[in-house]
PDB file of all heavy atoms in Angstrom:
ATOM      1  N   MET T  59      13.831  25.092  17.674  1.00 98.00           N
ATOM      2  CA  MET T  59      14.437  24.503  16.521  1.00 98.00           C
ATOM      3  C   MET T  59      15.582  23.537  16.949  1.00 98.00           C
ATOM      4  O   MET T  59      15.795  22.477  16.310  1.00 98.00           O
ATOM      5  CB  MET T  59      15.059  25.544  15.567  1.00 98.00           C
ATOM      6  CG  MET T  59      15.357  25.023  14.226  1.00 98.00           C
ATOM      7  SD  MET T  59      13.855  24.497  13.352  1.00 98.00           S
ATOM      8  CE  MET T  59      14.548  23.345  12.199  1.00 98.00           C
ATOM      9  N   LYS T  63      15.963  19.730  15.809  1.00 98.00           N
ATOM     10  CA  LYS T  63      17.274  19.200  15.097  1.00 98.00           C
ATOM     11  C   LYS T  63      17.710  17.998  15.844  1.00 98.00           C
ATOM     12  O   LYS T  63      18.181  17.007  15.195  1.00 98.00           O
ATOM     13  CB  LYS T  63      18.288  20.388  15.215  1.00 98.00           C
ATOM     14  CG  LYS T  63      18.078  21.348  14.140  1.00 98.00           C
ATOM     15  CD  LYS T  63      19.208  22.271  14.111  1.00 98.00           C
ATOM     16  CE  LYS T  63      19.046  23.343  12.943  1.00 98.00           C
ATOM     17  NZ  LYS T  63      19.640  24.583  13.268  1.00 98.00           N
ATOM     18  N   ALA T  64      17.768  18.040  17.289  1.00 98.00           N
ATOM     19  CA  ALA T  64      18.239  16.869  17.949  1.00 98.00           C
ATOM     20  C   ALA T  64      17.457  15.682  17.766  1.00 98.00           C
ATOM     21  O   ALA T  64      17.908  14.620  17.542  1.00 98.00           O
ATOM     22  CB  ALA T  64      18.357  17.295  19.481  1.00 98.00           C
ATOM     23  N   THR T  92       2.306  18.569  20.663  1.00 96.00           N
ATOM     24  CA  THR T  92       2.540  19.801  21.562  1.00 96.00           C
ATOM     25  C   THR T  92       1.836  19.549  22.831  1.00 96.00           C
ATOM     26  O   THR T  92       1.156  18.549  23.060  1.00 96.00           O
ATOM     27  CB  THR T  92       2.168  21.048  20.841  1.00 96.00           C
ATOM     28  OG1 THR T  92       0.678  20.944  20.569  1.00 96.00           O
ATOM     29  CG2 THR T  92       2.818  21.198  19.458  1.00 96.00           C
ATOM     30  N   LEU T 117      -7.784  16.007  22.836  1.00 98.00           N
ATOM     31  CA  LEU T 117      -7.795  16.674  21.489  1.00 98.00           C
ATOM     32  C   LEU T 117      -7.782  18.142  21.676  1.00 98.00           C
ATOM     33  O   LEU T 117      -7.033  18.818  21.000  1.00 98.00           O
ATOM     34  CB  LEU T 117      -9.023  16.296  20.737  1.00 98.00           C
ATOM     35  CG  LEU T 117      -9.341  17.005  19.477  1.00 98.00           C
ATOM     36  CD1 LEU T 117      -8.427  16.605  18.397  1.00 98.00           C
ATOM     37  CD2 LEU T 117     -10.800  16.701  19.018  1.00 98.00           C
ATOM     38  N   VAL T 118      -8.668  18.636  22.567  1.00 98.00           N
ATOM     39  CA  VAL T 118      -8.681  20.165  22.852  1.00 98.00           C
ATOM     40  C   VAL T 118      -9.186  20.271  24.233  1.00 98.00           C
ATOM     41  O   VAL T 118      -9.467  19.340  24.924  1.00 98.00           O
ATOM     42  CB  VAL T 118      -9.770  20.973  21.936  1.00 98.00           C
ATOM     43  CG1 VAL T 118      -9.195  20.931  20.367  1.00 98.00           C
ATOM     44  CG2 VAL T 118     -10.971  20.111  21.856  1.00 98.00           C
ATOM     45  N   LEU T 127     -12.928  22.376  15.117  1.00 98.00           N
ATOM     46  CA  LEU T 127     -12.034  21.559  14.400  1.00 98.00           C
ATOM     47  C   LEU T 127     -12.828  20.557  13.486  1.00 98.00           C
ATOM     48  O   LEU T 127     -12.477  20.274  12.406  1.00 98.00           O
ATOM     49  CB  LEU T 127     -11.089  20.789  15.281  1.00 98.00           C
ATOM     50  CG  LEU T 127     -10.083  21.484  16.075  1.00 98.00           C
ATOM     51  CD1 LEU T 127      -9.215  20.536  16.922  1.00 98.00           C
ATOM     52  CD2 LEU T 127      -9.108  22.365  15.147  1.00 98.00           C
ATOM     53  N   ASP T 158     -19.128  -7.968  23.344  1.00 98.00           N
ATOM     54  CA  ASP T 158     -19.940  -8.107  22.101  1.00 98.00           C
ATOM     55  C   ASP T 158     -20.378  -9.565  21.812  1.00 98.00           C
ATOM     56  O   ASP T 158     -21.418  -9.744  21.140  1.00 98.00           O
ATOM     57  CB  ASP T 158     -19.075  -7.761  20.858  1.00 98.00           C
ATOM     58  CG  ASP T 158     -18.750  -6.198  20.861  1.00 98.00           C
ATOM     59  OD1 ASP T 158     -19.402  -5.514  21.762  1.00 98.00           O
ATOM     60  OD2 ASP T 158     -18.069  -5.689  20.062  1.00 98.00           O
ATOM     61  N   ASN T 231      11.809  16.928  41.693  1.00 90.00           N
ATOM     62  CA  ASN T 231      12.742  16.331  40.707  1.00 90.00           C
ATOM     63  C   ASN T 231      13.279  17.467  39.777  1.00 90.00           C
ATOM     64  O   ASN T 231      12.485  18.358  39.517  1.00 90.00           O
ATOM     65  CB  ASN T 231      12.073  15.310  39.969  1.00 90.00           C
ATOM     66  CG  ASN T 231      13.084  14.606  39.008  1.00 90.00           C
ATOM     67  OD1 ASN T 231      14.247  14.464  39.207  1.00 90.00           O
ATOM     68  ND2 ASN T 231      12.499  14.141  37.890  1.00 90.00           N
ATOM     69  N   THR T 260     -18.984   4.761  37.962  1.00 98.00           N
ATOM     70  CA  THR T 260     -18.315   5.828  38.778  1.00 98.00           C
ATOM     71  C   THR T 260     -16.791   5.942  38.235  1.00 98.00           C
ATOM     72  O   THR T 260     -16.181   4.984  37.842  1.00 98.00           O
ATOM     73  CB  THR T 260     -18.236   5.445  40.272  1.00 98.00           C
ATOM     74  OG1 THR T 260     -17.573   4.148  40.399  1.00 98.00           O
ATOM     75  CG2 THR T 260     -19.637   5.283  40.790  1.00 98.00           C
ATOM     76  N   VAL T 296      -7.141  -9.924  31.184  1.00 98.00           N
ATOM     77  CA  VAL T 296      -8.624  -9.621  31.290  1.00 98.00           C
ATOM     78  C   VAL T 296      -9.147 -10.651  32.109  1.00 98.00           C
ATOM     79  O   VAL T 296      -8.907 -11.802  31.865  1.00 98.00           O
ATOM     80  CB  VAL T 296      -9.335  -9.427  29.955  1.00 98.00           C
ATOM     81  CG1 VAL T 296     -10.774  -9.155  30.119  1.00 98.00           C
ATOM     82  CG2 VAL T 296      -8.659  -8.314  29.180  1.00 98.00           C
ATOM     83  N   GLU T 309      -8.928 -16.465  28.507  1.00 95.00           N
ATOM     84  CA  GLU T 309      -7.824 -17.061  27.688  1.00 95.00           C
ATOM     85  C   GLU T 309      -7.203 -15.983  26.825  1.00 95.00           C
ATOM     86  O   GLU T 309      -7.976 -15.441  25.997  1.00 95.00           O
ATOM     87  CB  GLU T 309      -8.539 -18.208  26.890  1.00 95.00           C
ATOM     88  CG  GLU T 309      -7.407 -18.990  26.046  1.00 95.00           C
ATOM     89  CD  GLU T 309      -6.581 -19.895  26.924  1.00 95.00           C
ATOM     90  OE1 GLU T 309      -6.906 -20.289  28.137  1.00 95.00           O
ATOM     91  OE2 GLU T 309      -5.379 -20.153  26.432  1.00 95.00           O
ATOM     92  N   ASP T 356     -16.396  16.459  25.636  1.00 98.00           N
ATOM     93  CA  ASP T 356     -17.524  16.837  26.152  1.00 98.00           C
ATOM     94  C   ASP T 356     -17.786  16.217  27.597  1.00 98.00           C
ATOM     95  O   ASP T 356     -18.132  16.933  28.595  1.00 98.00           O
ATOM     96  CB  ASP T 356     -18.756  16.395  25.230  1.00 98.00           C
ATOM     97  CG  ASP T 356     -20.157  17.051  25.563  1.00 98.00           C
ATOM     98  OD1 ASP T 356     -20.206  17.927  26.441  1.00 98.00           O
ATOM     99  OD2 ASP T 356     -21.042  16.576  24.871  1.00 98.00           O
ATOM    100  N   THR T 374     -23.994  17.202  25.030  1.00 98.00           N
ATOM    101  CA  THR T 374     -24.589  17.785  23.839  1.00 98.00           C
ATOM    102  C   THR T 374     -24.102  17.156  22.663  1.00 98.00           C
ATOM    103  O   THR T 374     -24.498  17.498  21.472  1.00 98.00           O
ATOM    104  CB  THR T 374     -24.438  19.383  23.803  1.00 98.00           C
ATOM    105  OG1 THR T 374     -23.139  19.557  23.794  1.00 98.00           O
ATOM    106  CG2 THR T 374     -25.069  20.070  24.951  1.00 98.00           C
TER     107      THR T 374
END
Side-chain angles (χ1 to χ4, degrees):
M59 200 62 205
K63 279 185 183 153
T92 61
L117 173 69
V118 286
L127 291 184
D158 290 356
N231 186 27
T260 61
V296 176
E309 185 68 27
D356 193 6
T374 59

